[in-house]
Amino acid sequence: MTGRIIGLGSYIPKKVVTNDDFAKFLDTSDEWITERTGIKERHIADHITEKPSTMAVEAAKKAIEDAGIDPSQIDLIVTACTTPDLVIPSMSCVVQEAIGATENCGCFDVNSACPGFVAAWNTVQSFIETGNSKYALCIGSECNSNFANFQDRGTCILFGDGAGAAVLKADGTAKPNQFIMRSSGARGGCLRCEAARQPDRWEEEGFKTATSFYMQGREVFKFAVTEVPQIIKDLSEKFSFDLENDVDLFILHQANARIIEATAKKLGIPRDRFPMNIMNYGNASSASIPMLLTQLKQEGKIKPGMKLVMASFGAGLTWDANYIVY
Ligand code: UT7
């Protein structure tokens, strides 16, 4: 048994923030952001009504509706999130309650930064392949704007908020989950965000009440344009498929259009097989891949039987690639 996508859904926050909006309070411009990143606008969550947990719930509801199943059939929920509104309970438990899944449904979250959705996917597939799940929900939900430093023009312009979800059904005819996951804790210093906590009376100094993303952009860029093409090549060798002839679309983490273009070029694959929505959503971390999959399905651009490579990269450093049949 392997999990196959039978439903997709996303939640996009209502507020749109354009590059020109940033130029009103930062030394930046639409021209610089568009040229260096491909981003024109991003959606920013309302921090009262559009939290990561509530966006995860909305995306999950849409994915279940799209799958045409009853929520009581869901027996596993794994949510990827790096920017949660809750430390406990897990966001997956919040989703379980909101969609009306039963108590026979296992729930937990994973944090693998931007590649979180792919990590959640591989976790869910392991449950399905070992006979421990028949219908699983795999979610990515992020409120990056909660952790962006809006005085740092090098990072804040990149990020957007949103959520995406997939329902996977155990299928005896699907090929096994084929993937490679890699990490480099030694290189983790170039993309970090410390945890915040309350001050206490035993320690008056050194506490953090607010934190934000710290990123050495150029270092992360170099890492991505080196490791992403390499892991995709290694995936094709490991599972004996041809990148030119055996892949319909390459679904990459939407972090920077130049990273995606450089990956296409290094692999020698036409750029039009790398769909992008970064121009409208920015980098939505672990939500970027399920948001893109949902959009492609809605636009009729992915159909059952299509062969996809999913690849992601981010803090950790972590990066991974999967070869799937939609
Ligand atoms: O999800 C995964 C995590 N993140 C990423 O994948 C991000 C990877 N990195 C990147 O996408 C790019 O490195 C950035 C878009 C962040 C930056 O682009 P860059 O071409 O690498 O620019 P840079 O950092 O080398 O900076 C070049 C110049 C600098 O000015 P000086 O020192 O040359 O005078 C920056 O201060 O551009 C300046 N700059 C900006 N200028 C206008 C940096 N950000 C901005 C900005 N507007 N928003």
Side-chain angles (χ1 to χ4, degrees), residues 240-251:
S240 307
F241 67 92
D242 185 62
L243 290 172
E244 173 68 34
N245 298 308
D246 300 328
V247 183
D248 293 300
L249 292 176
F250 293 79
I251 310 293

Side-chain angles (χ1 to χ4, degrees), residues 13 39 50 59 65-66 120 140 143 146 158 184 197 218 222 225 270 274-275 283 288 296:
I39 301 166
E50 295 172 317
E65 192 186 334
D66 186 47
C143 191
N146 271 349
L158 294 174
S184 171
R197 67 175 183 82
R218 220 175 280 185
K222 279 192 266 174
V225 297
F274 290 73
N283 176 349
S288 83
L296 292 172

Side-chain angles (χ1 to χ4, degrees), residues 27-28 32-33 36-37 114 153-154 157-158 191 215 217-218 220-221 253 255-256 258-259 283 313-314:
D27 182 12
T28 189
W32 192 96
I33 300 172
R36 307 308 292 167
T37 71
C114 299
R153 66 179 181 170
I157 50 98
L158 294 174
L191 186 44
M215 183 176 72
R218 220 175 280 185
V220 179
F221 190 92
H253 170 46
N256 186 322
R258 286 193 295 139
I259 293 174
N283 176 349
F313 59 91

Side-chain angles (χ1 to χ4, degrees), residues 81-232:
C81 183
T82 323
T83 55
D85 49 304
L86 291 163
V87 176
I88 49 173
S90 72
M91 296 212 300
S92 296
C93 282
V94 175
V95 172
Q96 176 200 20
E97 202 268 331
I99 63 172
T102 74
E103 291 188 358
N104 291 323
C105 177
C107 292
F108 59 95
D109 296 351
V110 298
N111 173 354
S112 182
C114 299
F117 178 78
V118 186
W121 172 281
N122 291 332
T123 308
V124 159
Q125 291 287 18
S126 302
F127 275 70
I128 293 175
E129 290 186 343
T130 51
N132 291 300
S133 171
K134 287 199 174 86
Y135 290 92
L137 250 179
C138 185
I139 305 170
S141 183
E142 302 284 4
C143 191
N144 288 312
S145 59
N146 271 349
F147 292 90
N149 174 356
F150 286 98
Q151 269 124 44
D152 176 7
R153 66 179 181 170
T155 58
C156 69
I157 50 98
L158 294 174
F159 294 102
D161 302 333
V167 177
L168 273 68
K169 180 187 177 190
D171 181 342
T173 64
K175 71 177 174 64
N177 185 37
Q178 298 180 326
F179 68 99
I180 300 177
M181 291 179 86
R182 291 186 178 142
S183 327
S184 171
R187 288 189 272 168
C190 61
L191 186 44
R192 280 176 68 82
C193 183
E194 290 181 22
R197 67 175 183 82
Q198 292 294 322
D200 63 38
R201 65 194 169 95
W202 290 281
E203 190 181 8
E204 286 172 2
E205 287 179 10
F207 60 79
K208 301 256 184 229
T209 53
T211 60
S212 57
F213 295 132
Y214 163 79
M215 183 176 72
Q216 292 168 6
R218 220 175 280 185
E219 288 310 306
V220 179
F221 190 92
K222 279 192 266 174
F223 145 70
V225 297
T226 307
E227 301 293 2
V228 176
Q230 189 59 51
I231 199 169
I232 293 175

